[in-house]
Amino acid sequence: MKVLYFAWLKAKTGMAEEDIAPPAGTTTVGQLIEHLKTLSPGHAAAFETLSVVRVAVNQDYGGLDTPVKAGDEVAFFPPVTGG
Amino acid sequence: MIRVQREDFDSGAELARFSQGKTSVGGICLFVGLVRDYIGHDPAAGTPVQAMTLEHYPGMTERQLEAIEAEARKRWPLEDALVIHRYGRLEPGDRIVLVAASSAHRDAAFEACRFLIDWLKTKAPFWKVEHTQEGDAWVEAREADEDAAKRWE
């Protein structure tokens, strides 16, 4: 699946996007985050405080329980500040 | 209609075009958001802002803005609705966003315009980083914006 990072999550992970093949049994956003945290100290820092991280799966807002599967586009970002 | 763009827009020209040829329109409400030159609520105490950069999520931004426009059209009898949002580097005084709603009567236009900007602020995937003399800082989401959006739920 494709994982995207925006704003300070991009700065902390050091990348805008990456292709991820999560371990078997990864079926939710929460489980995906647990895997991403193991990839680098930057990833661990990005996901340190989940209350300030928002997620979208295939461009729709989701939560920790939202299902994810191969081929999905999963984006992580802080609360939005447009307008 | 939704537009997400780097380049500036002409508020007057947009306003003129918005109702052109639509003689059933009785009123238009239009809001333009600008880059303010200080952080916070007190101009004297606030940190001066030199510029800001708006990042967004191409694809999802359009999708969310279209959903917000559709919701406004469902709630009010609108003749038309328009959202223009810029991204990229902007300086104080620059236009960031324009929202407009037209209707046969003013109440729907006023309410839909307010709704569009309130929901956009909490749902459209844009992020601002402010450039100041002390460095760059990502703007944090404001509780007041959440409260403003919740009024419409």
Side-chain angles (χ1 to χ4, degrees), chain B residues 99-114:
Chain B
V99 303
S102 63
S103 187
H105 301 283
R106 70 180 181 282
D107 280 352
F110 267 112
E111 287 176 20
C113 185
R114 183 75 204 244

Side-chain angles (χ1 to χ4, degrees), chain A residues 4-8 10-11 56 58-61 73-75 77-83, chain B residues 55-57 59-60 63-64 85 97 120-128 138-141:
Chain A
L4 309 179
Y5 304 101
F6 292 95
W8 53 257
K10 181 164 67 181
N58 299 324
Q59 304 190 353
D60 278 325
Y61 285 103
E73 178 177 297
V74 184
F77 45 79
V80 302
T81 55
Chain B
E55 184 182 334
H56 75 118
Y57 180 175
M60 182 173 174
R63 189 180 163 90
Q64 291 296 321
H85 205 302
V97 61
L120 178 161
K121 273 199 167 270
T122 57
K123 295 184 192 301
F126 286 95
W127 303 274
K128 292 175 183 145
W138 288 99
V139 174
E140 284 184 28

Side-chain angles (χ1 to χ4, degrees), chain B residues 6-27:
Chain B
R6 186 180 289 276
E7 60 272 22
D8 193 14
F9 52 83
D10 179 334
S11 307
E14 296 296 343
L15 174 62
R17 197 178 310 139
F18 191 54
S19 63
Q20 207 164 34
K22 292 178 196 153
T23 47
S24 55
V25 169

